[in-house]
Amino acid sequence: MSRHYLSEADLSANEFRRLLVRAEEMKAAHKSGEIYTPFANKTLAMIFEKSSTRTRVSFETGMTQLGGHAIYLSPKDSQLGRGEPLEDTAKVLSQMVDMVMLRTNVHQSVVNFAANSQVPVINGLTDLLHPCQLLADMQTFFAHRGDISGAIVAWVGDGNNVCNSYINTANLLGFTLRIACPTAYHPDETLLAAAGDAVEFVETPMDACRDAALVVTDVWSSMGQEAEQAGRAAAFADYQIDSKLMSVADKDALFMHCLPAHRGEEVTAEVIDGKQSVVWEEAGNRLHAQKALMEFLLA
Ligand code: CP
Ligand code: NVA
């Protein structure tokens, strides 16, 4: 039976932490020019139902660095766009390739794909979760501040896929996630129930950020929600991360954002381009974290 990574909960806390260590090792090795190609003759298929810059390039480059190959597929240029079911695609592709990464609209699509796949499947973002992002975010936090267990993390803004992934990770790694989010945009109830005490809701962004070791936000309208843009901009108007909010966080607090970001909406330019922001390293770590993940899943 193949292991899949559809959710943070597919890994034990130990496995998650080991991947973070391995990701840092692989990053250092790559920086020192070491060549490590355990994936010779291995192929990753990548199916994208929606746009991507970081996820596509990090997986494709990661496979190249590990000695393998990646194939990009989109509904536009594969039979998926003409109605071939994802489940049938899973049965076919998994006889040909060694691993599949999918970015889909509906989370259940990734679950169904994995149920029909003979090879490991990785969730490259769905409407529910973005678990690869959390590997990179945690790698970045651990590298700067050590283990996140016991820390306070502030989530300000939409209760979206990245927020849901923070909820899962708070539960897994033992940090407290403080969420400030308008009631109408709350995260997933089932994941919240599973996370129990790891998650707290607070009234205001200020309450969320107070003494936080990490402040995180994301766009107000995710991919697929473009039509809701105006309503969302109004609902989230008081949820912008600015220097005033950062000033109530821990003095060494880090700022993260999965990117792409909208300066002047969810975050000011001063914060995202400021000293506490680690967004570029966070994005760069997608490469190393996912190389560690692929090595683990194919081992
Ligand atoms: N953060 C992230 O997943 O970025 P992309 O949409 O560019 O892949
Ligand atoms: N919440 C965003 C994340 C993009 C990486 C989206 O789903 O569009």
Side-chain angles (χ1 to χ4, degrees), residues 51-56 103 130 133 223 258-260 286:
S51 311
S52 169
T53 297
R54 280 144 288 267
T55 305
R56 176 177 178 181
R103 168 169 287 193
H130 196 1
Q133 186 66 50
M223 289 181 274
C258 64
L259 306 178
R286 294 289 304 279

Side-chain angles (χ1 to χ4, degrees), residues 6-82:
L6 310 186
S7 157
E8 295 77 6
D10 290 335
L11 296 176
S12 69
N14 255 339
E15 287 170 338
F16 199 103
R17 284 191 167 87
R18 268 196 283 130
L19 284 188
L20 305 182
V21 172
R22 184 65 185 136
E24 281 292 302
E25 273 172 20
M26 291 176 106
K27 181 176 182 174
H30 179 67
K31 292 221 153 127
S32 72
E34 212 176 282
I35 304 289
Y36 173 59
T37 52
F39 285 3
N41 294 313
K42 302 269 187 222
T43 303
L44 169 76
M46 310 185 294
I47 299 175
F48 283 94
E49 284 182 3
K50 38 193 176 184
S51 311
S52 169
T53 297
R54 280 144 288 267
T55 305
R56 176 177 178 181
V57 175
S58 53
F59 271 106
E60 197 163 330
T61 307
M63 278 306 284
T64 304
Q65 290 179 3
L66 292 169
H69 176 67
I71 302 174
Y72 174 84
L73 292 161
S74 81
K76 222 172 49 209
D77 47 31
S78 68
Q79 297 291 4
L80 283 166
R82 295 181 57 253

